[in-house]
Amino acid sequence: MGAQPGEAAEFTDLESAAMIAALNAAREGVRGANPLVGAAILTADGQIVTGHHGGTGTPHAEVEAITTAHDLDIDLTTATLLVTLEPCDHHGRTGPCTEAILAAEIPSVVFASPDPNPLAAGGGNTLAEAGLTVRSGLCEEDSRALNARWVRSLTEARPFVTAKIAQSLDGAVAAADATSQWITSAESRAHAHEVRSRVDAILVGTGTAVADDPRLNARGPDGIALDDQPRPVVLGTSELPVTSFLALNPNTLHLRTHDVREALDELYAAGARHLLVEGGPTVLGAFFSAGVVDEVFCYQAPLLIGPGRGSVDGLEIGTLSEALQLIPDDTETPAVSRVGPDFLLHFATADPGPDSTGLPESVT
Ligand SMILES: NC(=O)c1ccc[n+]([C@@H]2O[C@H](COP(=O)([O-])OP(=O)(O)OC[C@H]3O[C@@H](n4cnc5c(N)ncnc54)[C@H](OP(=O)(O)O)[C@@H]3O)[C@@H](O)[C@H]2O)c1
């Protein structure tokens, strides 16, 4: 029987280097509703191979690293697996990592931090009970920082919320006559579809549903709808026009409430872990006011529209010192980038974790 996970453990310099490589690999993953997880296999002769989790439904980091090691004919029976998050022990969209580790006959595992998801936790104990040497706590703070936002939505038992704003330079999302298609460029809309493809659900208010008749689906670069679609959600009490795309889509969830928390509870209960709120201004204001927005993508078009609809309505902020402060998010890509003629601004509302310069260089 190996050491119990969670016990104070000693780590070698090579193990520390391998865990840093795993943390760097984790950073390659998709930020948002999924944890960023990296894994490194350290061989008896000091070789390190890494893997990372690439987002919902893709292989977990441990499986990636094991697959690469197999491809390289690495002897795993004398290796140590280092992983930034406790190996999962449940059947989610992929099988349990504990089974993959046991099947690979890896004798020793080090994980940085325990899995805060009660559904997936316990992998350390399972492996220790199976006779592996299991240690934890190496680079724990770095691993926690990497996943601060994911942990926050997990502990609040609500979906991770991304807000999308597509606005003119003077902050409008619609002109005075309510026309709004399109303020931003085709390139911005393509990026927005890439974001849509990562989420479980996309929400608009009844105002947008009626004004724009959106489909709220995710389309690929060729404009064709992807196989795996997020769930369209409409918030508000009004009925939708019977011939609208959302009314005709049997998957549409119409939440007849103005209560954001109630809506999030219902979405969470329905299995949504990542929600994209696309507006309009009333609903965006309600989500910001409720303090539940985790991430913001703002597409800023080089247009001046004049009197129209401001992008966020109803924030009861009376003075500058009460302003809602956003944090430029450089973690995945630069917080400011060009998409065609537009600027894409990426923000977090809480510390998004270390940026690309926040971790030491990979040692692989
Ligand atoms: N450029 C862009 O990216 C973009 C994106 C989205 C929208 N828009 C534009 O925005 C305009 C629509 O703005 P909007 O503000 O009317 O749209 P909205 O925010 O989509 O919908 C507002 C409606 O949602 C319902 N609602 C749901 N939760 C609410 C809450 N917590 N508080 C108050 N009402 C709530 C209310 O209707 P009920 O009476 O039904 O409850 C309310 O009238 C359109 O011109 C659209 O084209 C632009």
Side-chain angles (χ1 to χ4, degrees), residues 14 35 68 82 98 104 122 136 139 148 152 185 191 227 269 298 312 340:
L14 264 178
T68 305
L82 298 103
T98 46
S136 66
C139 301
R152 186 175 120 186
S185 62
H191 184 276
D227 287 342
C298 178
V312 183

Side-chain angles (χ1 to χ4, degrees), residues 160-201:
F160 181 93
V161 176
T162 298
K164 177 204 151 187
I165 300 171
Q167 65 177 20
S168 65
L169 192 56
D170 48 351
V173 293
D177 66 353
T179 49
S180 70
Q181 290 173 340
W182 302 103
I183 287 176
T184 50
S185 62
E187 290 89 342
S188 286
R189 298 200 300 282
H191 184 276
H193 274 279
E194 198 274 313
V195 175
R196 281 182 172 191
S197 72
R198 301 184 199 174
V199 305
D200 300 315

Side-chain angles (χ1 to χ4, degrees), residues 9-332:
E10 291 290 313
F11 305 104
T12 66
D13 288 349
L14 264 178
E15 286 173 340
S16 298
M19 187 61 93
I20 288 168
L23 283 161
N24 281 328
R27 241 193 55 246
E28 305 286 313
V30 178
R31 308 240 165 190
N34 265 280
L36 290 176
V37 188
I41 285 168
L42 173 64
T43 64
D45 61 358
Q47 205 185 334
I48 294 171
V49 294
T50 61
H52 72 273
H53 178 46
T56 310
T58 65
H60 286 186
E62 299 89 321
V63 174
E64 279 274 307
I66 289 169
T67 305
T68 305
H70 281 319
D71 290 348
L72 295 171
D73 274 336
I74 283 173
D75 177 13
L76 292 176
T77 63
T78 54
T80 297
L81 173 72
L82 298 103
V83 57
T84 59
L85 190 70
E86 181 180 9
C88 76
D89 200 23
H90 82 317
H91 282 274
R93 297 185 208 207
T94 60
C97 288
T98 46
E99 281 181 11
I101 294 165
L102 291 170
E105 299 181 40
I106 296 171
S108 170
V109 171
V110 176
F111 62 87
S113 60
D115 195 324
N117 181 358
L119 284 178
N125 280 328
T126 299
L127 293 172
E129 280 163 21
L132 276 70
T133 301
V134 181
R135 291 166 292 152
S136 66
L138 177 59
C139 301
E140 182 168 354
E141 284 313 306
D142 291 326
S143 163
R144 283 187 191 279
L146 208 54
N147 286 307
R149 292 186 296 174
W150 171 68
V151 171
R152 186 175 120 186
S153 62
L154 194 71
T155 46
E156 290 183 12
R158 63 164 175 80
F160 181 93
V161 176
T162 298
K164 177 204 151 187
I165 300 171
Q167 65 177 20
S168 65
L169 192 56
D170 48 351
V173 293
D177 66 353
T179 49
S180 70
Q181 290 173 340
W182 302 103
I183 287 176
T184 50
S185 62
E187 290 89 342
S188 286
R189 298 200 300 282
H191 184 276
H193 274 279
E194 198 274 313
V195 175
R196 281 182 172 191
S197 72
R198 301 184 199 174
V199 305
D200 300 315
I202 307 175
L203 181 146
V204 294
T206 50
T208 300
V210 172
D212 296 350
D213 192 17
R215 287 178 174 82
L216 300 188
N217 64 358
R219 300 191 280 278
D222 51 8
I224 296 172
L226 303 176
D227 287 342
D228 201 9
Q229 285 295 330
R231 185 153 193 198
V233 184
V234 183
L235 189 66
T237 54
S238 305
E239 290 308 319
L240 303 179
V242 287
T243 55
S244 63
F245 285 114
L246 291 173
L248 292 171
N249 184 341
N251 273 332
T252 299
L253 180 62
H254 190 166
L255 301 172
R256 291 172 172 79
T257 177
H258 286 184
D259 186 324
V260 167
R261 293 272 173 184
E262 190 186 316
L264 288 175
D265 283 351
E266 202 157 325
L267 285 165
Y268 195 77
R273 296 293 176 266
H274 192 176
L275 173 68
L276 176 63
V277 179
E278 291 209 354
T282 309
V283 157
L284 277 172
F287 273 78
F288 278 113
S289 298
V292 293
V293 176
D294 299 294
E295 168 183 55
V296 179
F297 282 110
C298 178
Y299 303 88
Q300 181 84 58
L303 301 176
L304 295 167
I305 290 184
R309 285 298 299 278
S311 53
V312 183
D313 266 0
L315 282 182
E316 289 180 8
I317 294 171
T319 181
L320 192 56
S321 59
E322 292 168 3
L324 202 159
Q325 183 77 50
L326 302 177
I327 304 164
D329 186 346
D330 281 306
T331 50
E332 197 176 338

